[in-house]
Amino acid sequence: MSSYDPFGASPSPLPRERTGRSRLLLAPDYTALDVETTGLDAKWNAIIEFGAIRVRGGCIDERFSALVNPGYLLDPFITELTGITDDMLAFAPGIGEVLPGFLDFVGDDLVVGHNVMFDIGFISSACLAVLSKPFCNDFTDTMRLSRRLFPQHAHHRLTDLVERFGVGDAVEHRALADAAQTVDCYEYMKAYARRRGMGEAQLAPAGARCSAKDIRAARDNFNVNCACYGKTFVFTGELEDMTRQEAMQAVADRGGLLGDSVTRRTNYLVLGQHGYATTIRGGESAKQKKAEQMKLGGFDIGILTESEFYNLLGDE
């Protein structure tokens, strides 16, 4: 279900230490995965289908697919979106039976997925609930890779990539089919990068700093229903999956506003990592401390983790 990411959807993020590292790798060996779920929030919703494809040397080696009975009836919207019905799930095993086999299939592989933090959030939540341990595989997000390779494009949904690359039919919103299309898109982008002499070093985010006044929207036709539209964002720390400039540009391109400091006009403060900064004490920057004080004082300011920011950002 990772390719479905409407504006405003904000699944509960997991703490950074409970997941593996996000890495922009051009790996020959990996496992592509996708899950379908009963909703968008890993805290309240459940996995109803796993799909995974093991790839070795750039070629498909083996597939894994399993339906999961969530223990309750599906919302009609989910059935319409995925084609999965209550009758299909009635005699399917529960998550406790399916999860160990899925994890054995994935092993220690690099995980590849589209908007993969969504899938990892649900998988790790299930691992914690069933096995009392997190899901810690490193991962590569094909949405993030597409944004790095094709910054001229505004849209990076799985369906956009499939059409743009000419690698398959329309996205089905079934786990194994979406995993297969993720493999196709990933292999296309790997070949594209290599033809242009781009390796993993060139794809890695740079630590460039920029000012809010330097960012201008690259378009003027905004979706007014986007959760970012008209809201003022401030950033602190170093993001793992984007440079500061990329994140600020993404906000501007959705009609959002930007600031360099936390003020009464700030709607959201986005938290990055401060491990690189020796001047930070207690893990909080001055911006974060000010935002927390304002929040306690009754100001309507949201403090977002990096994954919360990406889910709020959405993808048009």
Side-chain angles (χ1 to χ4, degrees), residues 205-276:
R209 292 286 183 264
C210 62
S211 173
K213 63 181 176 59
D214 297 326
I215 304 297
R216 297 288 183 273
R219 53 181 177 170
D220 55 12
N221 56 328
F222 303 121
N223 183 339
V224 298
N225 294 315
C226 177
C228 297
Y229 182 78
K231 303 297 184 182
T232 298
F233 287 75
V234 174
F235 294 83
T236 182
E238 184 173 301
L239 299 178
E240 184 170 321
D241 291 356
M242 282 186 176
T243 64
R244 176 79 63 85
Q245 183 173 351
E246 288 173 336
M248 295 172 79
Q249 188 67 55
V251 169
D253 288 347
R254 286 157 175 78
L257 307 173
L258 297 162
D260 291 319
S261 59
V262 174
T263 71
R264 295 187 178 192
R265 295 184 179 180
T266 304
N267 298 111
Y268 295 108
L269 174 67
V270 181
L271 305 179
Q273 302 296 315
H274 290 291
Y276 63 92

Side-chain angles (χ1 to χ4, degrees), residues 5-189:
D5 188 15
F7 296 114
S10 183
S12 296
L14 291 162
R16 175 65 66 182
E17 65 270 19
R18 289 189 173 181
T19 65
R21 293 176 296 164
S22 174
R23 308 176 68 189
L24 282 179
L25 299 180
L26 305 177
D29 301 335
Y30 59 92
T31 294
L33 59 77
D34 185 82
V35 300
E36 301 299 330
T37 67
T38 61
L40 295 171
D41 193 327
K43 183 177 180 180
W44 305 109
N45 301 122
I47 295 171
I48 55 174
E49 187 176 35
F50 287 99
I53 298 177
R54 184 185 298 130
V55 175
R56 294 293 180 264
C59 298
I60 292 176
D61 178 65
E62 193 172 353
R63 295 172 172 85
F64 178 97
S65 180
L67 292 171
V68 182
N69 188 330
Y72 52 86
L73 298 179
L74 299 179
D75 187 292
F77 170 76
I78 298 300
T79 295
E80 182 178 357
L81 177 70
T82 65
I84 298 172
T85 66
D86 291 317
D87 288 342
M88 292 168 62
L89 300 180
F91 297 101
I95 189 67
E97 296 179 61
V98 178
L99 185 62
F102 169 78
L103 295 176
D104 285 344
F105 182 87
V106 175
D108 295 326
D109 267 11
L110 172 76
V111 165
V112 174
H114 198 79
N115 193 25
V116 73
M117 280 301 296
F118 176 92
D119 306 274
I120 287 173
F122 273 87
I123 293 167
S124 196
S125 180
C127 286
L128 289 168
V130 176
L131 304 172
S132 299
K133 65 178 184 179
F135 182 72
C136 294
N137 294 54
D138 288 351
F139 56 92
T140 291
D141 189 342
T142 50
M143 177 184 286
R144 179 187 172 207
L145 183 59
S146 176
R147 285 172 171 156
R148 297 289 291 177
L149 290 174
F150 307 103
Q152 71 274 24
H153 293 291
H155 308 312
H156 298 272
R157 296 168 300 185
L158 184 57
T159 185
D160 298 316
L161 271 56
V162 166
E163 181 178 354
R164 186 176 303 141
F165 302 158
V167 295
D169 300 322
V171 175
E172 297 181 25
H173 290 299
R174 289 298 301 270
L176 190 61
D178 287 359
Q181 292 189 325
T182 297
V183 171
D184 290 339
C185 291
Y186 183 50
E187 292 297 327
Y188 179 97
M189 288 189 285

